[in-house]
Amino acid sequence: MMARAKTKKDLKSLDKPALEEFLMRNEGIPSFRAGQLLHWMYKKNVASIEEITEFSKNLRESLSQKAFISTLKVKETLSSTDGTQKYLFELEDGNFVESVLIPSDEDQEADEKAQTKTSRLTLCISSQVGCTVGCRFCLTGRLGFIRDLEAWEIVEQVLSVQRLIAPRQITNIVFMGMGEPLNNLENVAVALERLTEFAHFSKRRITLSTAGIVPSIMELPGKAPMVNLAVSLNAATDETRSLIMPINRRYGISSLMQALRQFPLARRGRITFEYVLLGGINDSVADARRLVKLLHGIPSKVNLIPFNRHEGTDFRTPPVQSVLAFQKTLTDSGCTAIIRKSKGADILAACGQLKAKYEPKK
Ligand code: SAH
Ligand code: SF4
């Protein structure tokens, strides 16, 4: 693929105007063909030019001489007993990233009032190989940072998995795999544009999760389509947060909350706060009370995630009673708080718990 990439144009690296230009220059064909090509690549999800049957055989052959449609190589697929599936992708430079497909039938936010249950198929995708942020409880953080993913590598996780699971459909996308999406904002913004404009994913069904990179949170609304925002808060005091998330020494809780108060939300939109519960560290009722105070005035909901234990860490998963007491303190104060069951634990597939078992290539 490397040799091919050097001589031929990757059609997934082009936006619409660039694609129009490429087709006109190389094939002399009008611009509406670019729209057709985008539809076949992102909506019909073909893996090769040959499959675009709306184009004549001649056009397909001629185009195949000069261009190709990039796809990611699935190195391994792991299935959990709870229905979660993990996909390990091998990148062209030999690095690996993971995506996790999580089926659930939780109440959809939008359907809460209607009291209906809908089944979701959420794909948790990666934005970087490794991560620079280095949160103490996170396996990806321990891997260190290798590189940013290109926009097409981010989008292609979605398209590749969609190809594999058809006719089932991915309904939701969360940027909660490997990496900090706001530290790769340029590529993530392009990926979001392609997912919403070309692949027609609803913005309301995409969630970007960040450890709280304050300047990028402020830049985000002007740079990328307005998808849901989740913030990994994980502690309600600077002391505790700095202990488990060193990034907090740079962007403390008060500047983070200030940025979030100013963050433009879609109608009825809410910010999701993720809170990994670490036994004896941030899981007391007093912590829950402090959290309630912090969230005051912000349309929000809280995802409580009992720590997923992994090797080489001293952090503990809190007992069920503490998790329930924490949740009760929040809900009694009028906060929406949902306990996220740890899915795919047997295949190390829980979101934020991804770490390729293959050696990274620097
Ligand atoms: N970098 C982004 C997105 C990836 S991490 C962020 O930090 O938000 C996605 C989520 O997984 C974060 O909320 C993180 O706090 C959580 N997480 C990481 N390691 C975990 C673990 N071992 N157990 C439970 N949640 C974890
Ligand atoms: Fe990076 Fe998120 Fe893991 Fe922190 S929790 S190290 S930001 S991936």
Side-chain angles (χ1 to χ4, degrees):
M1 196 176 261
M2 287 301 270
R4 182 178 65 170
K6 273 188 197 120
T7 50
K8 293 187 185 183
K9 195 76 190 165
D10 174 4
L11 295 176
K12 281 209 178 118
S13 70
L14 303 175
D15 59 14
K16 198 171 181 202
L19 200 56
E20 285 172 354
E21 215 247 20
F22 181 84
L23 291 178
M24 177 52 87
R25 186 159 35 84
N26 287 285
E27 307 293 341
I29 55 177
S31 61
F32 77 90
R33 291 283 187 194
Q36 289 178 334
L37 188 50
L38 288 171
H39 182 72
W40 280 81
M41 284 197 294
Y42 291 94
K43 206 53 196 148
K44 291 205 175 231
N45 207 351
V46 294
S48 71
I49 292 170
E50 191 43 45
E51 291 167 63
I52 308 178
T53 48
E54 196 173 7
F55 286 3
S56 71
K57 201 160 182 10
N58 279 350
L59 176 55
R60 278 180 275 158
E61 272 169 14
S62 163
L63 200 53
S64 300
Q65 304 290 316
K66 300 154 200 149
F68 70 100
I69 294 175
S70 53
T71 52
L72 286 179
K73 189 165 137 198
V74 182
K75 178 84 177 169
E76 205 177 313
T77 310
L78 290 169
S79 301
S80 164
T81 46
D82 65 17
T84 302
Q85 282 197 303
K86 177 158 91 167
Y87 299 88
L88 180 72
F89 293 105
E90 182 170 5
L91 306 174
E92 286 174 4
D93 61 3
N95 280 306
F96 295 92
V97 282
E98 295 171 332
S99 306
V100 182
L101 187 68
I102 308 159
S104 63
D105 56 358
E106 291 152 277
D107 290 356
Q108 289 277 2
E109 285 307 307
D111 296 334
E112 254 173 25
K113 287 202 180 70
Q115 299 277 302
T116 54
K117 287 210 171 201
T118 31
S119 60
R120 274 197 234 195
L121 203 48
T122 302
L123 189 71
C124 174
I125 59 173
S126 298
S127 56
Q128 298 179 310
V129 187
C131 185
T132 53
V133 180
C135 304
R136 300 275 182 255
F137 50 82
C138 174
L139 261 180
T140 304
R142 295 234 314 268
L143 181 75
F145 177 69
I146 313 295
R147 72 166 172 91
D148 286 331
L149 290 186
E150 301 289 341
W152 78 265
E153 291 171 322
I154 298 171
V155 175
E156 197 51 32
Q157 294 168 60
V158 178
L159 298 182
S160 295
V161 172
Q162 184 55 64
R163 270 196 296 274
L164 290 168
I165 65 165
R168 287 195 299 159
Q169 290 267 354
I170 296 169
T171 62
N172 295 63
I173 300 169
V174 295
F175 283 72
M176 293 184 190
M178 298 167 80
E180 167 50 52
L182 293 193
N183 281 347
N184 185 17
L185 187 49
E186 302 290 329
N187 293 333
V188 166
V190 173
L192 286 175
E193 273 159 28
R194 292 182 187 170
L195 286 169
T196 51
E197 273 174 43
F198 300 162
H200 298 287
F201 270 96
S202 155
K203 295 185 192 89
R204 301 174 60 131
R205 289 177 173 269
I206 303 179
T207 301
L208 202 147
S209 176
T210 176
I213 316 297
V214 171
S216 306
I217 290 177
M218 297 198 294
E219 263 182 74
L220 188 59
K223 276 214 157 149
M226 205 154 100
V227 298
N228 302 310
L229 184 68
V231 177
S232 300
L233 192 59
N234 296 338
T237 65
D238 278 318
E239 194 189 356
T240 307
R241 195 163 191 267
S242 296
L243 190 77
I244 58 176
M245 300 178 73
I247 188 79
N248 192 69
R249 296 196 195 110
R250 204 137 131 223
Y251 310 116
I253 291 179
S254 66
S255 68
L256 175 59
M257 300 315 280
Q258 200 187 336
L260 295 177
R261 275 174 213 287
Q262 289 162 5
F263 193 81
L265 292 174
R267 206 163 60 88
R268 288 188 293 144
R270 291 194 271 181
I271 293 178
T272 301
F273 286 90
E274 288 155 285
Y275 196 103
V276 178
L277 287 159
L278 304 163
I281 307 254
N282 63 0
D283 63 337
S284 70
V285 166
D287 288 311
R289 289 206 189 101
R290 282 191 280 264
L291 181 58
V292 170
K293 277 202 187 128
L294 269 186
L295 301 186
H296 185 75
I298 301 181
S300 62
K301 60 172 176 152
V302 180
N303 277 344
L304 298 172
I305 320 166
F307 174 60
N308 278 310
R309 220 176 156 166
H310 45 81
E311 268 175 44
T313 166
D314 292 332
F315 292 118
R316 288 182 291 115
T317 311
V320 179
Q321 309 88 285
S322 318
V323 176
L324 292 174
F326 199 99
Q327 181 190 34
K328 188 169 185 305
T329 310
L330 294 178
T331 49
D332 284 353
S333 312
C335 296
T336 308
I338 297 154
I339 299 169
R340 289 282 166 216
K341 278 171 267 159
S342 152
K343 296 243 175 183
D346 53 337
I347 53 170
L348 268 191
C351 278
Q353 219 198 343
L354 304 180
K355 183 181 164 203
K357 63 182 177 180
Y358 297 86
E359 272 302 299
K361 298 199 173 53
K362 293 263 181 189

